[in-house]
Amino acid sequence: RYLSLCLQHKAAPGKVVSTELVRGRATGLSAALLSPELAAPVETFLALTTRLLRASVTDAPLFCLLETVAAAPSKLAPLLADQLDWLLSLVSYPRESVRAHAAELFAVVAAAAQDDEEFSTSLRSMHKLAMSNVLEQQHGGLLGLAHCLARRAREGRPPARSEELVIKLTADLLGYLEVAQPVLKSACLSAVSELGRSGPLPAVDGTADQSKPPSLHYVITKLLKTATGKDLPSKIRERAIVASGLTCVGDANLAFRREIVQHFLGASSELDELELQMAAGEALVAAVLGPQSAEARDPWRPDEPSDVPMSPTSSHNPEELLTWLLRQLLEDQLSQTHPKVLQSAGVWLLALVKHCQHLKPLKDRLGDIQGAFMELLTSGNELVQDAASKGLSLVYDSGDEQQRDALVN
């Protein structure tokens, strides 16, 4: 772990290193790892960390190994290609966090280092785990299967959606949306998120009630129903909200983008927790921006441009959807009296100003948005007041000099 912190410092000497085990904590790590001067030390770091993990499997070293290899997979993944059988054994490890890290590390290595035939074998191995009757194997296999497909897409070599193997694997994976077991349902939602942010969700065409094999419309409908299911745990609902938004990121031509946005607007009174409202705000931003969203970037290399390919026939226009959404929030949602609707609208407006301030429709309505936040400041709800206060600051920062003068006056 200390060596990992040293790599962080080398990558960004002027920044405080982070001890949190979270994706994207190490800014500039990818570029640093590719420098010739670090070649030998990094290889030694990988060898030492692997030896440590073979002796005692714990979260921190496994995360650090994953973080390092994922930051420079083209260079470092081949060095762990001979460790894939061992990594596969960790995918069904008793501890959930180890399974999650191992599944993603396996995918990073396999996607970057294997040829098509070897990669197909890896997919089948993950599928076998996912379809077993052992909870740990099912959980790890689900995550591994999704990560493998997502990472291969980021490597620019995604298996064709029409391949029989891909159709079978994704149909079985998406079938877990029906399960009630919390660990497996959560894993399936995480899997959908990874697939959705890296490219078009590999589901077949069909109606909203076609569950076998699951159609894309069915998957979206199921995600939205889960997101607003009051009988479900909050964490499950939150993951479903996130997954709903991320399906819009990898698919510029998603036909259900407006449906997702309308669902959250219509269900704003049912999102009775701040965490759910904030997740829905991020989902709305993802729906508006699509492949232009920061979520399209590789989460292990957040300072690099998105590697999600833009479709040459993309029909998505962020400004058109943003114009419509701002009108709904400013002229409808914020005129409601229901406290949860007002709170949701304030949180969502804040998210849009934070992430979409570069778009013309938002710049054109800065005055209206400022007025809305001023109204929310008079609310008796501290959470709404906090969102309004942050929003006012962002509104001012979003304008040019002439707009700032107008806002002040």
Side-chain angles (χ1 to χ4, degrees), residues 249-253 289-293 296 306-316 318:
V249 171
D251 190 352
N253 295 315
L289 295 179
Q292 298 176 26
S293 166
S306 166
D307 50 13
V308 173
M310 282 287 288
S311 169
T313 58
S314 171
S315 60
H316 176 53

Side-chain angles (χ1 to χ4, degrees), residues 119-195:
F119 186 69
S120 293
T121 300
S122 292
L123 286 178
R124 289 188 177 93
S125 297
M126 283 297 176
H127 180 252
K128 184 178 180 180
L129 290 176
M131 293 297 107
S132 80
N133 294 319
V134 180
L135 176 64
E136 291 80 6
Q137 293 181 357
Q138 289 174 303
H139 176 260
L142 276 173
L143 295 177
L145 194 55
H147 281 305
C148 281
L149 291 170
R151 294 302 312 187
R152 196 69 162 188
R154 291 193 182 279
E155 292 291 328
R157 296 183 290 167
R161 292 179 68 193
S162 57
E163 277 188 26
E164 186 176 340
L165 175 62
V166 174
I167 292 173
K168 166 66 175 170
L169 298 187
T170 52
D172 287 343
L173 185 156
L174 295 171
Y176 273 93
L177 287 171
E178 292 287 350
V179 302
Q181 212 288 336
V183 172
L184 295 181
K185 196 174 194 70
S186 179
C188 184
L189 293 170
S190 296
V192 172
S193 293
E194 289 302 319
L195 291 172

Side-chain angles (χ1 to χ4, degrees), residues 70-278:
S74 60
K75 179 179 179 179
L76 302 181
L79 300 178
L80 292 184
D82 60 347
Q83 304 289 335
L84 281 172
D85 288 342
W86 167 65
L87 289 174
L88 185 63
S89 71
L90 296 184
V91 172
S92 52
Y93 197 79
R95 193 180 309 132
E96 184 176 335
S97 54
V98 169
R99 294 197 298 270
H101 294 331
E104 189 164 7
L105 179 55
F106 179 97
V108 169
V109 176
Q114 291 186 321
D115 60 29
D116 289 345
E117 185 175 344
E118 291 170 331
F119 186 69
S120 293
T121 300
S122 292
L123 286 178
R124 289 188 177 93
S125 297
M126 283 297 176
H127 180 252
K128 184 178 180 180
L129 290 176
M131 293 297 107
S132 80
N133 294 319
V134 180
L135 176 64
E136 291 80 6
Q137 293 181 357
Q138 289 174 303
H139 176 260
L142 276 173
L143 295 177
L145 194 55
H147 281 305
C148 281
L149 291 170
R151 294 302 312 187
R152 196 69 162 188
R154 291 193 182 279
E155 292 291 328
R157 296 183 290 167
R161 292 179 68 193
S162 57
E163 277 188 26
E164 186 176 340
L165 175 62
V166 174
I167 292 173
K168 166 66 175 170
L169 298 187
T170 52
D172 287 343
L173 185 156
L174 295 171
Y176 273 93
L177 287 171
E178 292 287 350
V179 302
Q181 212 288 336
V183 172
L184 295 181
K185 196 174 194 70
S186 179
C188 184
L189 293 170
S190 296
V192 172
S193 293
E194 289 302 319
L195 291 172
R197 74 192 298 172
S198 62
L201 206 59
V204 300
D205 295 329
T207 60
D209 57 355
Q210 181 183 317
S211 60
K212 293 188 178 180
S215 69
L216 179 57
H217 197 182
Y218 167 83
V219 172
I220 298 297
T221 302
K222 189 70 178 177
L223 290 176
L224 295 177
K225 184 177 179 181
T226 303
T228 50
K230 286 198 167 185
D231 56 331
L232 295 171
S234 296
K235 280 297 179 186
I236 295 290
R237 295 176 66 188
E238 185 177 344
R239 292 200 179 202
I241 293 170
V242 170
S244 302
L246 292 179
T247 58
C248 302
V249 171
D251 190 352
N253 295 315
L254 184 68
F256 311 106
R257 190 181 303 271
R258 179 73 68 94
E259 181 179 323
I260 291 171
V261 174
Q262 288 177 321
H263 180 86
F264 287 121
L265 291 176
S268 57
S269 63
E270 299 172 39
L271 301 175
D272 50 2
E273 297 177 30
L274 179 61
E275 290 76 12
L276 299 179
Q277 294 164 353
M278 292 174 66

